[in-house]
Amino acid sequence: MSTEWDAVVLGGGAAGLFCAGVAGQLGKKVLVLDHAPVLGEKIRISGGGRCNFTNLHSGPANFLSLNPHFVKSALAKYPSSEFIKLVASYGIAYHEKHQGQLFCDDSAKQIIELLMSECTKGNVTIRNPVLVESIAQEGSKWIVRTDTGVEKTKSLVMATGGLPVPAIGATAYSLDIAKQFGLKVVEPKPALVPLSFTADTFGSLNELAGLSVPVRIASGSKGQRYGTCRFNEDVLLTHKGLSGPAVLQASSYWTEGEPIHIDWLGAIERPNGFNCDELFNDEDNRLKSAETILAAVLPQRLAKAFAEQNNVTGRKWAEVSKKDRQALKELITNWSVKPAGTLGWKKAEVMLGGVDTKELDGQTMMSRQNPGLFFIGECVDVTGHLGGHNFQWAWASGFVCAQAL
Ligand SMILES: Cc1cc2nc3c(=O)[nH]c(=O)nc-3n(C[C@H](O)[C@H](O)[C@H](O)COP(=O)(O)OP(=O)(O)OC[C@H]3O[C@@H](n4cnc5c(N)ncnc54)[C@H](O)[C@@H]3O)c2cc1C
């Protein structure tokens, strides 16, 4: 079987299906090929099953890339407000959870159904599961050999996503094809991923698994690949280390061997006039135990663990030396700790790195040196912060690509 298409899209995930639907509705003859038996699996598991499908405030500052300006054009042409309109036009109920993050009220499956309907409206042909065996260029055409036949196309759109969650079919295929055609690839790394710690750095904190604490977190450094970050979010203590939104965000900026910094008091609602120095020096507190003082600003179990770590358990505040008070203050306002590593691709939500944006035209997502070859979505060196930005990138990059097919 051999057919000629305007565009073949490899990967029927968020970016691929959206791009195909838009292009089809612009009158293009589009084929989507995917190796998975079920499409949109990452969308289905996203946002705890409710899909955080975009963010009201999504903008260039929410993305990491070696070229932070690259996202500007696509995000300007397809801002989050456009996808919100589309969601509303399908009557999908949604709500804002936190800092502009929009989730379906009911189920992530509604977003998959939306994408499939958009493809139906555009007469898009979808084939899965199909094994793509090879890709070659013949003159101005792209030849895609699969286990079901050979497809000829004017444009080839690589949308096979990133490496997280191999169990649901993640592959490096887009990166392999980029390399095959001479495009540079920024080394991929797991991001938005929990961090693990060795027993000696983490102390007894693993006993507090399940505890969630609002903190201010900082990670990265100026000389590193993506610079520095600072977030006010929740940290979740787990048996393996640290997770929760604060740590997932920090993980994207973290480099092996470097510490992350947590101000455990940084994000608490401070009562009027609250002053950390006063808390630590206040003579009114003389007769209170060290744990009681710490528990005024920290969850009790964490206060107890920090008191134990600094050997002040059971001591009255008056008996804690100035030096020890200072050490305690440093511990809870600037806890600097070196993670041993990340929990890897199995637990990562996204991939850092990917096809180098220098190789692509940000207006169209087309390879500068290979006319007709496009890369969209997570396979590109553009990684969003937690909070709906990664889907927003899938929609925006898919949209601008569709206009250029
Ligand atoms: C647990 C989890 C929760 C998440 N929650 C959110 C969230 O709430 N909000 C948010 O913005 N982002 C979230 N993300 C990130 C988001 O899912 C991705 O950024 C987004 O799906 C990327 O879209 P994509 O189309 O580039 O890739 P994908 O959606 O991963 O699609 C890639 C497609 O390509 C196919 N494919 C792969 N290899 C091949 C191959 N060799 N041949 C043929 N087909 C292939 C796959 O089967 C898949 O269908 C989450 C990720 C995870 C893992």
Side-chain angles (χ1 to χ4, degrees):
M1 178 171 55
S2 178
T3 322
E4 200 157 327
W5 305 90
D6 290 322
V8 169
V9 179
L10 286 194
L17 288 177
F18 187 64
C19 175
V22 174
Q25 291 178 46
L26 289 171
K28 303 291 172 188
K29 191 173 166 198
V30 184
L31 170 69
V32 175
L33 297 173
D34 199 296
H35 70 165
V38 182
L39 295 188
E41 277 297 86
K42 254 190 204 162
I43 304 172
R44 188 182 57 77
I45 61 170
S46 68
R50 292 228 161 87
C51 186
N52 177 193
F53 56 81
T54 192
N55 191 299
L56 289 170
H57 314 302
S58 207
N62 300 111
F63 294 90
L64 292 87
S65 170
L66 283 193
N67 174 7
H69 301 291
F70 182 78
V71 296
K72 286 183 178 168
S73 172
L75 290 178
K77 286 186 180 145
Y78 197 81
S80 59
S81 54
E82 289 298 313
F83 196 74
I84 296 166
K85 268 192 232 157
L86 183 65
V87 167
S89 76
Y90 276 79
I92 299 172
Y94 62 89
H95 59 279
E96 180 184 351
K97 203 166 170 185
H98 174 59
Q99 298 180 357
Q101 302 168 4
L102 300 186
F103 287 76
C104 298
D105 284 358
D106 188 9
S107 163
K109 286 186 196 149
Q110 294 172 295
I111 299 296
I112 304 173
E113 286 159 13
L114 174 157
L115 295 171
M116 297 305 267
S117 300
E118 288 293 294
C119 284
T120 305
K121 280 188 199 165
N123 294 315
V124 173
T125 304
I126 298 178
R127 291 202 198 121
N128 70 300
V130 168
L131 181 70
V132 179
E133 290 163 349
S134 69
I135 290 172
Q137 202 178 10
E138 270 180 24
S140 61
K141 299 284 175 194
W142 296 88
I143 311 297
V144 182
R145 287 201 161 71
T146 75
D147 58 353
T148 58
V150 179
E151 313 294 344
K152 224 178 197 191
T153 178
K154 180 169 96 40
S155 300
L156 177 66
V157 181
M158 297 304 304
T160 60
L163 292 169
V165 202
I168 55 168
T171 71
Y173 199 55
S174 292
L175 307 188
D176 296 342
I177 294 302
K179 289 178 195 160
Q180 180 185 330
F181 290 98
L183 280 74
K184 284 203 191 80
V185 168
V186 179
E187 188 205 345
K189 273 174 61 178
L192 297 182
V193 62
L195 296 173
S196 63
F197 294 84
T198 54
D200 55 324
T201 49
F202 209 47
S204 58
L205 290 186
N206 63 351
E207 288 164 20
L208 307 184
L211 187 68
S212 177
V213 187
V215 302
R216 182 173 300 157
I217 196 161
S219 169
S221 59
K222 286 216 170 100
Q224 302 296 347
R225 206 202 258 186
Y226 298 113
T228 58
C229 72
R230 203 172 278 274
F231 291 97
N232 283 359
E233 284 280 9
D234 288 0
V235 154
L236 176 69
L237 291 115
T238 73
H239 289 293
K240 294 197 172 143
L242 295 176
S243 185
V247 169
L248 298 185
Q249 300 279 32
S251 72
S252 300
Y253 291 82
W254 176 70
T255 307
E256 220 166 303
E258 295 291 322
I260 57 166
H261 309 275
I262 295 181
D263 177 353
W264 294 92
L265 305 187
I268 60 168
E269 289 291 328
R270 296 176 187 227
N272 273 348
F274 171 87
N275 177 322
C276 191
D277 289 330
E278 273 175 23
L279 176 81
F280 281 89
N281 299 327
D282 197 348
E283 287 307 304
D284 292 347
N285 287 329
R286 291 175 59 76
L287 298 178
K288 291 183 188 158
S289 73
E291 295 103 297
T292 308
I293 305 275
L294 295 181
V297 287
L298 289 173
Q300 200 152 17
R301 290 160 68 204
L302 189 62
K304 190 163 169 277
F306 280 151
E308 273 165 16
Q309 267 190 26
N310 272 39
N311 298 321
V312 294
T313 306
R315 282 158 68 185
K316 297 265 181 296
W317 204 230
E319 297 159 9
V320 177
S321 68
K322 255 193 176 165
K323 193 169 150 242
D324 284 348
R325 288 185 192 185
Q326 193 51 41
L328 260 177
K329 185 182 156 198
E330 186 65 17
L331 182 71
I332 67 173
T333 58
N334 187 16
W335 193 61
S336 184
V337 62
K338 275 189 189 167
T342 74
L343 295 197
W345 293 114
K346 270 192 193 167
K347 297 287 174 193
E349 280 197 14
V350 280
M351 176 175 86
L352 269 184
V355 178
D356 194 329
T357 55
K358 278 200 230 85
E359 307 280 3
L360 307 175
D361 175 354
Q363 309 270 344
T364 62
M365 309 304 292
M366 190 168 79
S367 160
R368 292 186 187 281
Q369 37 171 324
N370 302 279
L373 179 61
F374 297 78
F375 293 85
I376 58 172
E378 199 177 325
C379 68
V380 179
D381 173 34
V382 168
T383 308
H385 287 164
L386 190 75
H389 305 287
N390 286 295
F391 279 134
Q392 183 52 37
W393 173 245
W395 319 138
S397 59
F399 180 83
V400 294
C401 171
Q403 316 296 311
L405 296 174

Short mmCIF file of all heavy atoms in Angstrom, two decimals, residues 10-16 33-36 39-40 42-43 45-47 51-53 130 132 159-162 164-165 168-171 173 348-350 376-379 388-392 394, ligand 1:
data_model
loop_
_atom_site.label_atom_id
_atom_site.label_comp_id
_atom_site.label_asym_id
_atom_site.label_seq_id
_atom_site.Cartn_x
_atom_site.Cartn_y
_atom_site.Cartn_z
N LEU A 10 4.35 11.72 12.85
CA LEU A 10 4.76 10.53 13.61
C LEU A 10 4.57 10.82 15.09
O LEU A 10 5.26 11.68 15.66
CB LEU A 10 6.23 10.20 13.35
CG LEU A 10 6.57 9.59 12.00
CD1 LEU A 10 7.97 9.01 12.01
CD2 LEU A 10 5.57 8.52 11.64
N GLY A 11 3.63 10.12 15.71
CA GLY A 11 3.32 10.33 17.12
C GLY A 11 1.95 10.97 17.27
O GLY A 11 1.75 12.13 16.89
N GLY A 12 1.02 10.18 17.80
CA GLY A 12 -0.34 10.70 18.01
C GLY A 12 -0.58 11.02 19.47
O GLY A 12 -1.50 10.51 20.10
N GLY A 13 0.29 11.87 20.02
CA GLY A 13 0.10 12.35 21.39
C GLY A 13 -0.48 13.76 21.32
O GLY A 13 -1.15 14.13 20.34
N ALA A 14 -0.20 14.55 22.35
CA ALA A 14 -0.78 15.89 22.45
C ALA A 14 -0.42 16.75 21.23
O ALA A 14 -1.31 17.26 20.52
CB ALA A 14 -0.29 16.56 23.73
N ALA A 15 0.88 16.89 20.96
CA ALA A 15 1.31 17.79 19.88
C ALA A 15 0.90 17.24 18.51
O ALA A 15 0.39 17.98 17.66
CB ALA A 15 2.83 17.98 19.94
N GLY A 16 1.12 15.92 18.30
CA GLY A 16 0.85 15.32 16.99
C GLY A 16 -0.62 15.38 16.62
O GLY A 16 -0.98 15.79 15.50
N LEU A 33 0.71 8.45 12.37
CA LEU A 33 1.15 7.08 12.65
C LEU A 33 1.64 7.02 14.10
O LEU A 33 2.38 7.91 14.54
CB LEU A 33 2.31 6.69 11.74
CG LEU A 33 2.04 6.65 10.23
CD1 LEU A 33 3.36 6.42 9.48
CD2 LEU A 33 1.02 5.57 9.90
N ASP A 34 1.23 6.00 14.82
CA ASP A 34 1.69 5.85 16.21
C ASP A 34 1.91 4.37 16.48
O ASP A 34 1.14 3.53 16.01
CB ASP A 34 0.67 6.42 17.19
CG ASP A 34 1.28 6.72 18.56
OD1 ASP A 34 1.72 5.77 19.25
OD2 ASP A 34 1.32 7.91 18.94
N HIS A 35 2.94 4.08 17.26
CA HIS A 35 3.23 2.66 17.54
C HIS A 35 2.40 2.10 18.70
O HIS A 35 2.39 0.90 18.93
CB HIS A 35 4.74 2.45 17.78
CG HIS A 35 5.23 3.03 19.07
ND1 HIS A 35 6.44 2.72 19.61
CD2 HIS A 35 4.67 3.94 19.93
CE1 HIS A 35 6.62 3.38 20.74
NE2 HIS A 35 5.56 4.12 20.95
N ALA A 36 1.72 2.99 19.41
CA ALA A 36 0.97 2.52 20.59
C ALA A 36 -0.41 2.01 20.19
O ALA A 36 -1.04 2.54 19.28
CB ALA A 36 0.83 3.67 21.58
N LEU A 39 -4.05 5.69 21.77
CA LEU A 39 -3.45 7.02 21.62
C LEU A 39 -3.72 7.90 22.86
O LEU A 39 -4.69 7.70 23.57
CB LEU A 39 -4.04 7.73 20.39
CG LEU A 39 -3.72 7.10 19.04
CD1 LEU A 39 -4.20 8.00 17.91
CD2 LEU A 39 -2.23 6.83 18.90
N GLY A 40 -2.81 8.86 23.05
CA GLY A 40 -3.03 9.88 24.09
C GLY A 40 -2.85 9.37 25.51
O GLY A 40 -3.42 9.95 26.44
N LYS A 42 -0.39 9.60 27.56
CA LYS A 42 0.19 10.57 28.52
C LYS A 42 -0.83 11.61 28.93
O LYS A 42 -0.82 12.10 30.05
CB LYS A 42 1.42 11.24 27.91
CG LYS A 42 2.67 10.70 28.54
CD LYS A 42 3.88 11.45 28.20
CE LYS A 42 5.04 10.50 28.38
NZ LYS A 42 6.23 10.97 27.70
N ILE A 43 -1.72 11.92 28.00
CA ILE A 43 -2.78 12.88 28.35
C ILE A 43 -3.69 12.23 29.39
O ILE A 43 -4.08 12.86 30.38
CB ILE A 43 -3.59 13.28 27.10
CG1 ILE A 43 -2.66 13.84 26.03
CG2 ILE A 43 -4.69 14.28 27.47
CD1 ILE A 43 -3.33 14.10 24.68
N ILE A 45 -3.04 10.05 31.68
CA ILE A 45 -2.51 9.97 33.06
C ILE A 45 -2.12 11.35 33.60
O ILE A 45 -1.70 11.46 34.74
CB ILE A 45 -1.29 9.01 33.16
CG1 ILE A 45 -0.13 9.49 32.26
CG2 ILE A 45 -1.69 7.59 32.79
CD1 ILE A 45 1.18 8.74 32.49
N SER A 46 -2.27 12.38 32.77
CA SER A 46 -1.77 13.70 33.20
C SER A 46 -2.67 14.33 34.25
O SER A 46 -3.86 14.04 34.32
CB SER A 46 -1.67 14.63 31.99
OG SER A 46 -2.96 14.94 31.53
N GLY A 47 -2.04 15.20 35.04
CA GLY A 47 -2.79 15.98 36.04
C GLY A 47 -3.62 15.09 36.94
O GLY A 47 -4.77 15.43 37.27
N CYS A 51 -5.92 16.13 33.72
CA CYS A 51 -5.19 16.89 32.71
C CYS A 51 -5.16 18.39 32.99
O CYS A 51 -6.14 19.11 32.77
CB CYS A 51 -5.79 16.65 31.31
SG CYS A 51 -4.80 17.43 30.02
N ASN A 52 -4.02 18.84 33.42
CA ASN A 52 -3.78 20.28 33.58
C ASN A 52 -3.42 20.77 32.18
O ASN A 52 -2.27 20.83 31.80
CB ASN A 52 -2.64 20.47 34.58
CG ASN A 52 -2.24 21.90 34.80
OD1 ASN A 52 -1.20 22.15 35.39
ND2 ASN A 52 -3.03 22.84 34.34
N PHE A 53 -4.48 21.09 31.38
CA PHE A 53 -4.31 21.22 29.93
C PHE A 53 -3.67 22.53 29.48
O PHE A 53 -3.19 22.62 28.35
CB PHE A 53 -5.64 20.99 29.21
CG PHE A 53 -6.76 21.90 29.66
CD1 PHE A 53 -6.86 23.18 29.19
CD2 PHE A 53 -7.70 21.44 30.56
CE1 PHE A 53 -7.88 24.02 29.60
CE2 PHE A 53 -8.73 22.27 30.99
CZ PHE A 53 -8.83 23.57 30.51
N VAL A 130 1.35 1.01 14.58
CA VAL A 130 2.15 0.84 13.37
C VAL A 130 3.62 0.98 13.75
O VAL A 130 3.97 1.89 14.51
CB VAL A 130 1.78 1.95 12.34
CG1 VAL A 130 2.78 1.98 11.20
CG2 VAL A 130 0.38 1.74 11.79
N VAL A 132 7.13 2.09 12.70
CA VAL A 132 7.85 2.85 11.67
C VAL A 132 9.25 2.25 11.57
O VAL A 132 9.99 2.20 12.55
CB VAL A 132 7.92 4.35 12.04
CG1 VAL A 132 8.70 5.13 10.99
CG2 VAL A 132 6.51 4.92 12.17
N ALA A 159 6.74 13.99 16.15
CA ALA A 159 6.01 14.37 17.38
C ALA A 159 5.94 13.19 18.32
O ALA A 159 4.89 12.91 18.91
CB ALA A 159 4.61 14.85 17.00
N THR A 160 7.07 12.48 18.45
CA THR A 160 7.04 11.26 19.27
C THR A 160 7.36 11.53 20.74
O THR A 160 7.56 10.59 21.51
CB THR A 160 7.96 10.16 18.71
OG1 THR A 160 9.30 10.66 18.70
CG2 THR A 160 7.55 9.73 17.32
N GLY A 161 7.40 12.80 21.15
CA GLY A 161 7.50 13.12 22.58
C GLY A 161 8.89 12.91 23.16
O GLY A 161 9.89 12.86 22.44
N GLY A 162 8.91 12.79 24.50
CA GLY A 162 10.18 12.65 25.22
C GLY A 162 10.32 11.25 25.82
O GLY A 162 9.53 10.35 25.52
N PRO A 164 10.22 10.28 29.18
CA PRO A 164 9.59 9.84 30.43
C PRO A 164 8.56 8.74 30.23
O PRO A 164 7.90 8.67 29.19
CB PRO A 164 8.91 11.11 30.97
CG PRO A 164 9.67 12.23 30.35
CD PRO A 164 10.08 11.73 28.99
N VAL A 165 8.42 7.92 31.25
CA VAL A 165 7.45 6.82 31.34
C VAL A 165 7.58 5.84 30.15
O VAL A 165 6.67 5.69 29.33
CB VAL A 165 5.99 7.33 31.48
CG1 VAL A 165 5.13 6.23 32.10
CG2 VAL A 165 5.89 8.60 32.29
N ILE A 168 4.74 3.35 28.94
CA ILE A 168 3.63 3.62 28.03
C ILE A 168 4.13 4.03 26.64
O ILE A 168 3.47 4.75 25.91
CB ILE A 168 2.60 4.64 28.59
CG1 ILE A 168 3.28 5.95 28.98
CG2 ILE A 168 1.80 4.07 29.73
CD1 ILE A 168 2.27 7.07 29.26
N GLY A 169 5.32 3.55 26.30
CA GLY A 169 5.74 3.64 24.90
C GLY A 169 6.59 4.84 24.53
O GLY A 169 6.68 5.17 23.34
N ALA A 170 7.24 5.48 25.52
CA ALA A 170 8.12 6.61 25.17
C ALA A 170 9.36 6.10 24.46
O ALA A 170 9.93 5.07 24.85
CB ALA A 170 8.51 7.35 26.44
N THR A 171 9.78 6.79 23.41
CA THR A 171 11.01 6.42 22.71
C THR A 171 11.78 7.69 22.34
O THR A 171 11.25 8.80 22.41
CB THR A 171 10.75 5.67 21.38
OG1 THR A 171 10.21 6.61 20.43
CG2 THR A 171 9.80 4.51 21.55
N TYR A 173 12.72 8.29 19.34
CA TYR A 173 12.70 8.22 17.87
C TYR A 173 12.91 9.59 17.20
O TYR A 173 13.66 9.71 16.23
CB TYR A 173 11.41 7.56 17.38
CG TYR A 173 11.54 7.06 15.96
CD1 TYR A 173 12.57 6.19 15.61
CD2 TYR A 173 10.68 7.49 14.97
CE1 TYR A 173 12.72 5.74 14.30
CE2 TYR A 173 10.82 7.04 13.65
CZ TYR A 173 11.85 6.17 13.32
OH TYR A 173 12.00 5.74 12.03
N ALA A 348 9.78 10.73 35.90
CA ALA A 348 9.84 12.10 35.38
C ALA A 348 8.55 12.42 34.62
O ALA A 348 7.94 11.55 34.03
CB ALA A 348 11.03 12.24 34.45
N GLU A 349 8.14 13.70 34.67
CA GLU A 349 6.97 14.10 33.89
C GLU A 349 7.37 14.61 32.51
O GLU A 349 6.58 14.54 31.58
CB GLU A 349 6.18 15.19 34.62
CG GLU A 349 5.31 14.61 35.70
CD GLU A 349 4.22 15.55 36.19
OE1 GLU A 349 3.94 16.57 35.53
OE2 GLU A 349 3.67 15.26 37.25
N VAL A 350 8.56 15.14 32.39
CA VAL A 350 8.99 15.67 31.09
C VAL A 350 10.48 15.45 30.87
O VAL A 350 11.21 15.05 31.78
CB VAL A 350 8.70 17.18 30.93
CG1 VAL A 350 7.28 17.44 30.56
CG2 VAL A 350 9.13 17.96 32.11
N ILE A 376 7.94 18.92 16.74
CA ILE A 376 7.04 19.65 17.64
C ILE A 376 6.91 18.93 18.99
O ILE A 376 7.22 17.75 19.10
CB ILE A 376 5.62 19.83 17.02
CG1 ILE A 376 4.99 18.46 16.68
CG2 ILE A 376 5.68 20.71 15.79
CD1 ILE A 376 3.53 18.57 16.25
N GLY A 377 6.43 19.67 19.98
CA GLY A 377 6.15 19.08 21.30
C GLY A 377 7.40 18.83 22.11
O GLY A 377 8.41 19.54 22.00
N GLU A 378 7.34 17.78 22.89
CA GLU A 378 8.37 17.55 23.90
C GLU A 378 9.73 17.14 23.32
O GLU A 378 10.75 17.26 24.00
CB GLU A 378 7.86 16.45 24.85
CG GLU A 378 8.59 16.40 26.17
CD GLU A 378 8.01 15.36 27.09
OE1 GLU A 378 6.79 15.13 27.08
OE2 GLU A 378 8.81 14.76 27.83
N CYS A 379 9.76 16.68 22.07
CA CYS A 379 11.06 16.25 21.51
C CYS A 379 11.98 17.45 21.24
O CYS A 379 13.17 17.28 20.99
CB CYS A 379 10.86 15.42 20.25
SG CYS A 379 10.22 16.35 18.84
N GLY A 388 0.79 22.97 33.54
CA GLY A 388 0.04 23.09 32.28
C GLY A 388 0.85 23.67 31.14
O GLY A 388 0.37 23.75 30.01
N HIS A 389 2.09 24.08 31.42
CA HIS A 389 2.90 24.73 30.38
C HIS A 389 3.39 23.74 29.33
O HIS A 389 3.57 24.11 28.17
CB HIS A 389 4.09 25.46 31.03
CG HIS A 389 3.66 26.43 32.08
ND1 HIS A 389 3.05 27.62 31.78
CD2 HIS A 389 3.69 26.36 33.44
CE1 HIS A 389 2.76 28.26 32.91
NE2 HIS A 389 3.13 27.51 33.92
N ASN A 390 3.59 22.49 29.73
CA ASN A 390 4.08 21.51 28.74
C ASN A 390 3.02 21.20 27.70
O ASN A 390 3.33 21.10 26.51
CB ASN A 390 4.62 20.26 29.44
CG ASN A 390 5.96 20.56 30.07
OD1 ASN A 390 6.92 20.84 29.36
ND2 ASN A 390 6.00 20.61 31.40
N PHE A 391 1.75 21.08 28.13
CA PHE A 391 0.70 20.91 27.12
C PHE A 391 0.56 22.18 26.28
O PHE A 391 0.35 22.11 25.08
CB PHE A 391 -0.63 20.54 27.78
CG PHE A 391 -0.73 19.08 28.12
CD1 PHE A 391 -1.19 18.65 29.35
CD2 PHE A 391 -0.34 18.11 27.20
CE1 PHE A 391 -1.26 17.30 29.66
CE2 PHE A 391 -0.40 16.75 27.50
CZ PHE A 391 -0.87 16.35 28.73
N GLN A 392 0.69 23.35 26.93
CA GLN A 392 0.58 24.59 26.15
C GLN A 392 1.63 24.62 25.04
O GLN A 392 1.37 25.06 23.92
CB GLN A 392 0.69 25.82 27.07
CG GLN A 392 0.50 27.15 26.35
CD GLN A 392 -0.78 27.21 25.53
OE1 GLN A 392 -1.80 26.67 25.91
NE2 GLN A 392 -0.72 27.85 24.36
N ALA A 394 2.89 21.93 23.59
CA ALA A 394 2.45 20.95 22.59
C ALA A 394 1.43 21.61 21.65
O ALA A 394 1.53 21.50 20.42
CB ALA A 394 1.84 19.73 23.27
C1 LIG B 1 2.60 11.44 34.67
C2 LIG B 1 2.61 12.66 33.79
C3 LIG B 1 1.74 13.69 34.07
C4 LIG B 1 1.76 14.85 33.27
N1 LIG B 1 0.87 15.85 33.56
C5 LIG B 1 0.90 16.98 32.81
C6 LIG B 1 -0.06 18.02 33.05
O1 LIG B 1 -1.00 17.85 33.83
N2 LIG B 1 0.08 19.18 32.32
C7 LIG B 1 1.07 19.35 31.38
O2 LIG B 1 1.13 20.42 30.76
N3 LIG B 1 1.94 18.36 31.10
C8 LIG B 1 1.86 17.18 31.79
N4 LIG B 1 2.74 16.17 31.48
C9 LIG B 1 3.66 16.36 30.34
C10 LIG B 1 2.89 16.12 29.02
O3 LIG B 1 2.21 14.88 29.09
C11 LIG B 1 3.84 16.11 27.83
O4 LIG B 1 4.63 17.27 27.85
C12 LIG B 1 3.07 16.05 26.51
O5 LIG B 1 2.28 14.89 26.45
C13 LIG B 1 4.05 16.09 25.33
O6 LIG B 1 3.31 15.97 24.15
P1 LIG B 1 3.96 15.26 22.87
O7 LIG B 1 2.89 15.15 21.87
O8 LIG B 1 5.23 15.92 22.53
O9 LIG B 1 4.33 13.78 23.38
P2 LIG B 1 3.34 12.63 23.84
O10 LIG B 1 2.06 13.18 24.32
O11 LIG B 1 4.16 11.80 24.78
O12 LIG B 1 3.05 11.80 22.52
C14 LIG B 1 4.05 11.08 21.83
C15 LIG B 1 3.39 10.01 21.01
O13 LIG B 1 4.37 9.42 20.17
C16 LIG B 1 4.23 8.03 20.17
N5 LIG B 1 5.53 7.42 19.87
C17 LIG B 1 6.64 7.40 20.63
N6 LIG B 1 7.62 6.77 19.98
C18 LIG B 1 7.14 6.39 18.79
C19 LIG B 1 7.70 5.70 17.68
N7 LIG B 1 8.97 5.28 17.69
N8 LIG B 1 6.91 5.45 16.60
C20 LIG B 1 5.61 5.87 16.59
N9 LIG B 1 5.03 6.53 17.61
C21 LIG B 1 5.80 6.80 18.69
C22 LIG B 1 3.72 7.68 21.56
O14 LIG B 1 3.03 6.45 21.56
C23 LIG B 1 2.80 8.88 21.84
O15 LIG B 1 1.47 8.60 21.43
C24 LIG B 1 2.71 14.98 32.22
C25 LIG B 1 3.57 13.93 31.95
C26 LIG B 1 3.53 12.77 32.71
C27 LIG B 1 4.48 11.65 32.38
#
